[in-house]
């Protein structure tokens, strides 16, 4: 099994993804619509799940993962398929699964999807 990436780089990737999704929400709703809309957080969360799913399925990592030089693959190092990517994205959005993890650094979301987050250089 591949060695998991550091928590710091994963958190940096999460912040990059979240701020990108907030930016998209602001573009869609407008600055006033974003601040005055009680549902803007849920819209941002939905955009986050869709962004994560598409990027994981097509490129093996979210926008933030790729900028932080991380990759998400199956445990054996093969590409993560779209169904597993969707499952992982939804579980990350639920917040609790990533906070419950094994000693090897894999959270419940990774265990359920059979995935692992590792350095991009390892997969090359």
């Amino acid at each position: 099994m591949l060695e998991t990436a550091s928590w710091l780089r994963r958190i940096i990737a999460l912040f990059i993804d979240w701020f990108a999704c907030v930016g998209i929400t602001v573009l869609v709703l407008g600055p006033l619509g974003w601040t005055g809309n009680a549902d803007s957080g849920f819209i941002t969360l939905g955009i986050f799940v869709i962004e994560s799913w598409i990027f994981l399925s097509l490129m093996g990592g979210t926008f933030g993962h790729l900028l932080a030089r991380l990759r998400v693959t199956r445990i054996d190092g093969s590409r993560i398929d779209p169904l597993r990517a969707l499952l992982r994205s939804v579980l990350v959005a639920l917040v609790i699964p990533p906070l419950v993890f094994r000693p090897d650094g894999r959270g419940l979301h990774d265990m359920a999807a059979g995935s692992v987050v590792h350095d991009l250089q390892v997969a090359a």
Side-chain angles (χ1 to χ4, degrees), residues 7 91 94-102 107-109:
W7 282 106
L91 289 174
L94 293 176
V95 179
I96 300 299
L99 298 177
V100 179
F101 54 91
R102 293 175 17 164
L108 289 178
H109 62 298

Side-chain angles (χ1 to χ4, degrees), residues 4-59:
T4 57
S6 74
W7 282 106
L8 178 62
R9 288 177 63 195
R10 289 194 246 181
I11 291 169
I12 289 170
L14 179 64
F15 274 100
I16 291 169
D17 286 327
W18 188 256
F19 284 116
C21 293
V22 167
I24 293 169
T25 305
V26 171
L27 285 174
V28 170
L29 298 179
L32 295 177
W34 181 70
T35 57
N37 187 342
D39 295 330
S40 63
F42 289 110
I43 293 168
T44 303
L45 187 61
I47 291 170
F48 175 82
V49 169
I50 292 167
E51 178 262 342
S52 297
W53 176 48
I54 290 171
F55 272 74
L56 282 171
S57 298
L58 297 177
M59 294 187 276

Side-chain angles (χ1 to χ4, degrees), residues 77-96:
S78 64
R79 287 188 68 138
I80 188 167
D81 59 87
L83 188 58
R84 289 175 190 269
L86 180 60
L87 173 65
R88 186 182 189 282
S89 299
V90 169
L91 289 174
V92 168
L94 293 176
V95 179
I96 300 299

